[in-house]
Structure formats: structure tokens, C-alpha cells
Amino acid sequence: MFWFLLITMVVVVAAVTLAVVGGGDSEVLPDAAPEQLVDPLPLSRPVDRADVEALRLPVAARGYRMEDVDDVLDRLAAELAERDARIAELEAALAGAPAGGEAAEGEER
């Protein structure tokens, strides 16, 4: 039994050594091309919730590609600022407009 275990162990160590070392003549694996953002946010219309949910940023060696993340965040920040300005503009217009019910009652009297 001892000899069987010893021979088996030698065979396993030899197989692992050959697998790790390889032939030595084989070429090194080529570098993989970095992933690119496949489906960026649409430029022809405002971004909506479905666009953000469907967005998948490519993964790099240390997380996400900073350039792609920066582009997406810049676009979202610009659109949010534009929407905030439009909301503020509409709220100001509402605050300045006379209430519909009060104007109608005042004209009838």
C-alpha cells in the first residue's frame, strides 16, 4: 500500500509540474483587447430610466474603465442639471400665475 501511494504521488507531482512548466516552447498568450462601452447613452434624446438600467460598463483589470464611467456620469449630471433648471423654471411660473379658481370667482362677482 505504501508503494502504491508513493508511486501515485510521484505521478501526480510530475503531471502538475509538466502542466505548470509546459513545453517551454509555447508562445505567451496575447494581451486581450480592452472592453469598450458597447451601448452608450443615446445622444438623440434625453436619457430615461430604462437607459440607465440597461447600461453596462465594461470591466477593466482594476474595476471599471474610468474614462467610460466619467463620460456616463458627466452626461447624467448635465441632464439632471438641465431637468432641475426646467423644474425650477416651471415652479416659478406656477408661483407667479394666479390660481385658476380665484380668478374665475373674482370675475363673476
Side-chain angles (χ1 to χ4, degrees):
M1 181 70 174
F2 172 76
W3 289 108
F4 175 74
L5 289 175
L6 184 64
I7 292 172
T8 304
M9 201 156 129
V10 168
V11 169
V12 169
V13 168
V16 169
T17 303
L18 285 175
V20 170
V21 173
D25 298 338
S26 62
E27 292 182 30
V28 177
L29 292 176
D31 290 334
E35 292 184 33
Q36 298 295 322
L37 186 58
V38 177
D39 191 17
L41 298 174
L43 298 175
S44 60
R45 62 178 173 77
V47 176
D48 61 10
R49 180 181 179 148
D51 295 327
V52 175
E53 287 176 351
L55 183 67
R56 295 293 174 257
L57 297 169
V59 178
R62 290 186 163 187
Y64 293 102
R65 295 188 59 210
M66 289 196 306
E67 182 179 327
D68 291 335
V69 174
D70 289 344
D71 290 344
V72 168
L73 290 177
D74 289 343
R75 171 75 189 277
L76 290 175
E79 288 207 17
L80 286 174
E82 183 179 315
R83 288 180 187 173
D84 288 345
R86 180 68 177 147
I87 288 170
E89 178 184 310
L90 292 173
E91 286 176 343
L94 267 175
E102 292 177 11
E105 289 178 18
E107 290 175 7
E108 289 177 10
R109 292 185 186 178

